[in-house]
Structure formats: C-alpha cells, structure tokens
Amino acid sequence: AQSVTQLGSHVSVSEGALVLLRCNYSSSVPPYLFWYVQYPNQGLQLLLKYTSAATLVKGINGFEAEFKKSETSFHLTKPSAHMSDAAEYFCVFYNFNKFYFGSGTKLNVKP
Amino acid sequence: GAVVSQHPSRVICKSGTSVKIECRSLDFQATTMFWYRQFPKQSLMLMATSNEGSKATYEQGVEKDKFLINHASLTLSTLTVTSAHPEDSSFYICSAREPTATYEQYFGPGTRLTVT
C-alpha cells in the first residue's frame, strides 16, 4: 500500500535554527511527493514537489527537500527558521489520481 | 497562480437540515476536484474525487447518500451534507486540478461546518 509517514507531530525550533521536518514514504511505484503548508485559518499552500526529476527540490520561502530512494525519505529543511514559518506542514503522496496526506507536523518557532 | 474559492467559509446549521458547500476554480478549468475533511488537529482525509460530468468516486467509508457531490461544470463542484448531525461538524476543504497539471492541486480556503 502507498502511504506517507510524518515523524513528529510537533517540532519546536528557535528563530534562526535549522528546520528539519521528516517524511517517509511507502510505495511500490516511483512516488510523486509534495510538501504543503497550512497557516492558521488559511488554505493549504504548495511549498515544493518532487516528480522524478532532480532529487533536491527547492521550494518557496527558502525551503527545500531531498528525495532519497534508499531511505524512502523526503525530509523538508530550511537553514534558518523565521517566526513566520510557524504553521502546520503536510507531506503528501500522489498515486493513481489521488493525493494522500501525512498526519502533519506543527512547527513552532521560538524567539 | 491558480485560485480556488469556497463558499461559505463558515456555516452553522441545525441537526437534520442540509447544507451545500461550493468550490469554484476562478481562473482555470478543473476537470477534477477533490473533497477533503479535516478533523481538529488531524490531517486531511480524502472523501471523494469528482470529475466534471460524471459521478463522484467516494473513498471507502464515506456515505455517498449523505455527502452528495455534484461537478456540473468545469469551474464548480458542490458538496451537500444531507440531514446533518453534530458528528458531521468539521472543516471541509476542496481542491482542484488543471487538466495539464496532473500532479498539482490547488486548495480552497476551507469551510467550517458546525451542526448544532
């Protein structure tokens, strides 16, 4: 079965620190993977996507993610957290015309 | 970028009544739209996939007679919650996909449904 697992429902970092949000996938076919962000009381916004091209994907707001087939991972990183990054982040898997969401990771940024 | 709107943003209804939620793609034609449900502090659960001009495909466990989905045009899909009950209270989110963007979906802002 195809699925995504996000490790850590809550992550807290200090402003300026590295952000690392973890996502592992399970798939019998080459996956298409996405990271979406949901700010409080707002809709979901696409951060970045992997669709079998470059394994290191750069997104908006300084975020990037690396697809590692050997580790079945697609972790999201940002070198320096900003207060405005506080939000909920979802790793999403696409397969057979459907999108499957991970459980989400709420990022808290401390001043 | 592509914009998807939802209306209403919030709705309160009494138990036993029906409520309709609209999802519109404002600047593109969406051959496929998706409806999700998000419980508090949980992830999005796909409810159904709707294709313009055909019947929606419901996920396992979703009552198709309770959650009626209509995708009558390339820019509008509606979700009607029939005979709503308090347990139907949730955040409903739609997304739409352009015909040429297979792997992308654009999300609406969501509708908060409260059934009293």
Side-chain angles (χ1 to χ4, degrees), chain A residues 38-43 88 106, chain B residues 6-14 19-22 35-44 79 81 84-94 108-116:
Chain A
Q38 186 178 35
Y39 296 102
N41 301 314
Q42 292 188 33
E88 186 147 24
K106 185 160 285 187
Chain B
Q6 276 185 249
H7 178 79
S9 57
R10 292 176 181 269
V11 58
I12 301 173
C13 69
K14 292 189 175 181
V19 61
K20 181 185 285 189
I21 302 169
E22 292 186 348
W35 286 96
Y36 296 86
R37 183 172 179 177
Q38 186 178 27
F39 290 100
K41 300 183 180 180
Q42 293 189 32
S43 188
L44 280 72
L79 167 67
V81 183
H85 287 94
E87 56 267 29
D88 298 325
S89 299
S90 192
F91 195 52
Y92 293 88
I93 301 173
C94 75
T111 296
R112 174 76 60 192
L113 170 63
T114 303
V115 184
T116 61

Side-chain angles (χ1 to χ4, degrees), chain B residues 53-98:
Chain B
S54 62
K55 289 185 179 180
T57 303
Y58 290 81
E59 294 299 297
Q60 192 173 7
V62 177
E63 298 177 60
K64 56 182 68 176
D65 294 331
K66 180 164 194 61
F67 298 100
L68 300 179
I69 291 172
N70 187 301
H71 193 160
S73 78
L74 286 172
T75 59
L76 173 66
S77 176
T78 60
L79 167 67
T80 301
V81 183
T82 62
S83 187
H85 287 94
E87 56 267 29
D88 298 325
S89 299
S90 192
F91 195 52
Y92 293 88
I93 301 173
C94 75
S95 69
R97 192 173 71 192
E98 290 184 275

Side-chain angles (χ1 to χ4, degrees), chain A residues 35-105:
Chain A
W35 276 98
Y36 281 84
V37 59
Q38 186 178 35
Y39 296 102
N41 301 314
Q42 292 188 33
L44 288 144
Q45 183 179 2
L46 177 66
L47 276 179
L48 49 80
K49 61 183 177 184
Y50 168 76
T51 56
S52 75
T55 56
L56 181 61
V57 182
K58 293 187 184 296
I60 62 172
N61 301 338
F63 284 94
E64 64 181 37
E66 186 172 8
F67 173 75
K68 291 186 177 181
K69 185 177 179 180
S70 60
E71 299 178 8
T72 61
S73 68
F74 189 57
H75 301 332
L76 181 70
T77 60
K78 182 174 180 177
S80 177
H82 193 272
M83 296 297 292
S84 61
D85 295 327
E88 186 147 24
Y89 293 79
F90 293 96
C91 184
V92 181
F93 179 99
Y94 171 86
N95 194 24
F96 297 118
N97 202 37
K98 294 180 184 177
F99 296 86
Y100 299 93
F101 281 72
S103 54
T105 298

